[in-house]
Amino acid sequence: MALRKGDIIKVSFGALSYKGYGLGTYDGREVAVPGALPGERAKIEVLRRPRHRIVGRLVEVLESPYSRVEPRCTHFGTCGGCLWQDLPYEVQLGLKEGLVREYLEDHLDGPLLPILPSPQLWGYRNKMEFSFDRGPEGVVLGLHPRGRFDVTFDLSECPISPPPFPKVVSFVRDLARRTSLPPYDLRTHEGLLRFLILRRSPKTREALIGITSSGRHDKLTLVARELGEAFPEVRGVVGIFNPSPGQFAYGGKREVLWGEERFREEVEVGGKRFTFYLSLVSFFQTNSGGAERLYEVVREFAGLSGRERVLDLFCGVGTIASVLAPESKEIVGVEVVEEAVEDGLRNLRENYLGNVRLISGTAEDALRSLDGPFHLAVVDPPRAGMHPKARRELLELSPDRIIYVSCNPKSLKEDLEVLLKGYRAVRARPLDLFPHTPHVETVVELVHR
Ligand SMILES: C[S@@+](CC[C@H](N)C(=O)[O-])C[C@H]1O[C@@H](n2cnc3c(N)ncnc32)[C@H](O)[C@@H]1O
């Protein structure tokens, strides 16, 4: 009988997708279910009338090799965030290491080193984006239920965020209700408030707030001032005006509504402390303690002597370049976001690093105009991985070694398949920067054949 939406089926799961979905088969078709794990048998509700792949909701685990724990968050199960909050941390680490092993298995010509845990298991996030919506009691401010980007639930707690974040969310929600600022409606494209972006350094305790709205409104300045005055950690409140129907938190004109446009983050790597000023749109790893651990691994794999020319592709505000600069002769960084390059230049001065040059542009374009040779290229692309042209140009540039930092084992594997034409992957180390989620970071060292 043909399966329909809402049907309940029993499925055995044998694998894990890179998104952390349990993968099984039913009637010859693949079944993908968030929360299900390899080795488990479970009752599944079919969510959509299936064509090729069955996407389901976990109803009940019937048999499992894993123990489950009580999740900390009341939103667990609804929230699209922490898929694995009901798994013991050791189990999460084992699954992540297994995922990396599976993706790298045929490509790694050396050891897969044990996964490094996150230094902090709770309250580790230094950045969160919350959405505004409309509900029966007025403005709703929170996160999306799993797989529903058109709906938002009111957030009351978020144990992976630092304690000030839920407090700011509730303050802004009350303020929006009090000042009658309307949330943006995705269906009618009317209304104002779209996203609340919170960033905070656990080291300096400085914070920056972003409010994305469909346009400018005088009341936004009042909201920004109230926020700045209520939370002493806040350095500034930045408005982003996005009038387009596209639901982008960072797209649009920006204006400082109150205070400063940057906040200060700090990391300590190799016994040295580095300062990074960050504007709202500049990338920084979302787990600050995890970032320190990640950069230690990059530094260890780099093993620099002070004589090397190093390339830092996808350099953000110059974090990896800065950390490696004291042990290199010269570093060139490439980054597409102009503000990140501006922040980076300031950060280099702040950290007294005179041997780093930053180029604003895409990796795929910049690589062509770079003069080699480079002893080492550190490559840390976004989730989608490298542009095919960037992979080709990097092979052409032919640095002696490459350190690839990946936040997605799937795109890592795809990029390696090309880079391995000229290189051998000699060691890899997974790290956990996102406890309670299936995300995993991996550092791979490649040496020229
Ligand atoms: C994963 S982040 C890494 C940043 C930095 N290495 C760090 O650890 O803070 C990826 C960076 O690549 C930048 N980026 C995205 N696409 C790019 C491209 N085509 N060329 C250059 N940079 C790009 C993003 O803006 C982001 O700063």
Side-chain angles (χ1 to χ4, degrees), residues 282-285 294-295 312-320 334-337 340 361-364 380-383 387 407 441:
S282 289
F283 177 90
F284 193 84
Q285 297 289 348
L294 173 69
Y295 299 149
D312 181 8
L313 271 188
F314 311 94
C315 69
V317 297
T319 39
I320 294 178
V334 178
E335 165 61 42
V336 74
V337 174
T362 64
E364 46 279 21
D380 184 4
R383 279 188 78 68
H387 189 285
C407 57
E441 201 79 12

Side-chain angles (χ1 to χ4, degrees), residues 106-117:
D106 300 331
H107 299 87
L108 195 57
D109 222 355
L112 176 67
L113 302 167
I115 188 166
L116 294 180

Side-chain angles (χ1 to χ4, degrees), residues 373-423:
F374 284 95
H375 299 95
L376 173 69
V378 180
V379 178
D380 184 4
R383 279 188 78 68
M386 296 174 77
H387 189 285
K389 189 171 159 211
R391 301 192 289 227
R392 280 199 305 273
E393 296 287 346
L394 185 61
L395 278 173
E396 188 76 17
L397 186 69
S398 197
D400 296 346
R401 290 185 301 135
I402 299 173
I403 293 177
Y404 191 124
V405 181
S406 157
C407 57
N408 178 353
K410 184 169 179 276
S411 56
L412 169 64
K413 181 179 169 173
E414 287 159 7
D415 285 343
L416 283 186
E417 271 160 12
V418 176
L419 296 175
L420 292 187
K421 287 180 188 148
Y423 293 84

Side-chain angles (χ1 to χ4, degrees), residues 41-45 57-63:
R41 186 164 170 74
K43 252 192 212 170
I44 303 303
E45 179 191 347
R57 182 180 72 83
L58 183 65
V59 177
E60 188 189 348
V61 177
L62 302 169
E63 293 159 34

Side-chain angles (χ1 to χ4, degrees), residues 269-330:
V269 182
K272 295 189 178 65
R273 186 172 292 188
F274 299 88
T275 296
F276 296 108
Y277 281 89
L278 304 171
S279 47
L280 197 66
V281 294
S282 289
F283 177 90
F284 193 84
Q285 297 289 348
T286 40
N287 175 341
S288 303
E292 289 184 334
R293 208 158 264 190
L294 173 69
Y295 299 149
E296 289 289 4
V297 173
V298 172
R299 189 175 156 261
E300 181 204 334
F301 278 20
L304 297 168
S305 68
R307 292 187 296 273
E308 294 85 354
R309 285 193 81 218
V310 179
L311 178 61
D312 181 8
L313 271 188
F314 311 94
C315 69
V317 297
T319 39
I320 294 178
S322 302
V323 162
L324 297 183
E327 289 152 5
S328 318
K329 181 163 176 254
E330 185 197 347

Side-chain angles (χ1 to χ4, degrees), residues 131-141 152 173 176-177 180-195 212-214 247:
S131 304
F132 289 94
D133 201 353
R134 200 181 297 266
E137 289 168 51
V139 175
V140 168
L141 179 56
T152 302
R173 188 190 298 121
R177 287 180 184 173
S180 309
L181 279 172
Y184 183 79
D185 189 319
L186 276 177
R187 288 153 287 267
T188 62
H189 301 292
E190 284 166 3
L192 191 73
L193 300 172
R194 303 185 82 157
F195 295 98
T212 312
S213 61
S214 58
Q247 211 24 1

